[in-house]
Amino acid sequence: MSALTRSVVKRNHAIIAPDGYINSNVPGWTNCTVNVIINEQMGARLCQTLVTLGIAGQLLGETRESQIFFYVVQGECQATVGGENRILSAGQYVYVPVGQAYGFVYSAPDTQLLTFHKVYEPLAGHATPAIVWGERDLSKAPVYMNDEALRIQELLPNELGFDMAVNIFTYDIGGNLPMVETHIMEHGLLYLEGQAIYMLDQCWYPVKKGDSIWMAPYCQQWATAMGQEPSVYIYYKNVNRFPTVK
């Protein structure tokens, strides 16, 4: 039945499954399919998109108020940021700070990019972050809270100049968060591998590869891996700024 979906949108959290995607148009992003997964229209303070490049597809633009983190979920593309050209394949990424031109051009079929956007908040005494290139690497993912089943790789430098963090969280089979988290940070995330059960604000949801989740500040959260393979997601959070009301 077309009336069935696993997607849920509530006051302080959302599960967005691919079965309900509707495409959007973004100026400068052409010959591609753009799905806006998370946005301020739902109460969030970040934007998360998933972009699939078609033949001759390209993403051209310039960061102004918002910084953008680009991660290659699958495929391969040519990226130009700050005058530097690189070929990015699955698991590789580039962080584009404010005031930078960027371009991503189709290189392989079914290339898919995940983006996180956040309005940058300058911090007195700290320079605006520079461009950051990198890649997913499990060897750079230390054990989380002394639990060998949990590992987190930080993809951006842990420095005060950055007001956003992007991490990859890997749960081995049977791994689960050691507590129900309740905190000020907001999250946007995409499942890259496996499946899990996620608890959000005392509601329980099955999630799997391709699903996205939004968590507002203070939305209680807990997760456990399910199935016969590790559960892996990439996620955003806001960090390093005084918690004022704007």
Side-chain angles (χ1 to χ4, degrees):
M1 288 181 62
S2 62
L4 298 178
T5 181
R6 290 183 300 105
S7 294
V8 175
V9 180
K10 295 197 173 186
R11 175 189 61 83
N12 64 351
H13 67 272
I15 307 289
I16 306 296
D19 58 25
Y21 286 173
I22 296 296
N23 301 339
S24 296
N25 292 320
V26 175
W29 296 11
T30 57
N31 296 314
C32 59
T33 300
V34 181
N35 299 119
V36 180
I37 309 298
I38 299 170
N39 188 261
E40 63 185 2
Q41 302 298 325
M42 65 198 302
R45 295 187 180 182
L46 77 141
C47 177
Q48 176 179 324
T49 76
L50 198 60
V51 183
T52 304
L53 292 174
I55 296 174
Q58 59 181 8
L59 279 60
L60 302 177
E62 180 180 351
T63 52
R64 296 181 182 177
E65 294 183 354
S66 293
Q67 60 208 308
I68 310 177
F69 183 97
F70 293 89
Y71 181 88
V72 182
V73 177
Q74 62 185 38
E76 184 177 271
C77 63
Q78 179 177 315
T80 303
V81 182
E84 183 174 358
N85 297 304
R86 296 195 187 189
I87 298 296
L88 297 183
S89 56
Q92 297 183 313
Y93 62 88
V94 59
Y95 164 80
V96 184
V98 292
Q100 294 285 346
Y102 64 81
F104 296 83
V105 179
Y106 170 96
S107 293
D110 300 319
T111 294
Q112 195 170 66
L113 295 170
L114 168 72
T115 73
F116 294 116
H117 310 236
K118 180 188 182 297
V119 173
Y120 181 66
E121 301 173 63
L123 182 63
H126 295 270
T128 300
I131 298 165
V132 178
W133 304 84
E135 63 184 350
R136 177 180 173 184
D137 184 348
L138 194 59
S139 70
K140 297 179 181 178
V143 168
Y144 179 68
M145 296 190 73
N146 299 315
D147 187 338
E148 295 289 341
L150 304 175
R151 287 158 291 164
I152 291 182
Q153 180 186 356
E154 296 182 345
L155 304 185
L156 293 177
N158 187 8
E159 300 172 358
L160 287 177
F162 287 85
D163 67 345
M164 66 181 285
V166 180
N167 304 329
I168 293 180
F169 204 152
T170 299
Y171 297 60
D172 287 338
I173 297 170
N176 58 262
L177 284 178
M179 70 188 81
V180 175
E181 296 186 1
T182 307
H183 55 64
I184 191 172
M185 284 84 75
E186 179 180 29
H187 288 326
L189 69 81
L190 173 71
Y191 265 87
L192 300 173
E193 299 174 15
Q195 55 188 356
I197 296 294
Y198 225 110
M199 188 278 284
L200 299 168
D201 196 27
Q202 304 301 318
C203 298
W204 299 81
Y205 302 101
V207 290
K208 63 180 182 178
K209 178 180 178 180
D211 290 347
S212 295
I213 301 179
W214 168 60
M215 289 171 257
Y218 295 105
C219 175
Q220 291 184 308
Q221 57 193 263
W222 181 87
T224 184
M226 300 291 288
Q228 302 301 312
E229 61 180 322
S231 170
V232 183
Y233 57 75
I234 181 171
Y235 70 103
Y236 152 99
K237 64 179 178 180
N238 51 311
V239 295
N240 296 334
R241 294 298 181 266
F242 196 80
T244 55
V245 177
K246 295 187 177 181

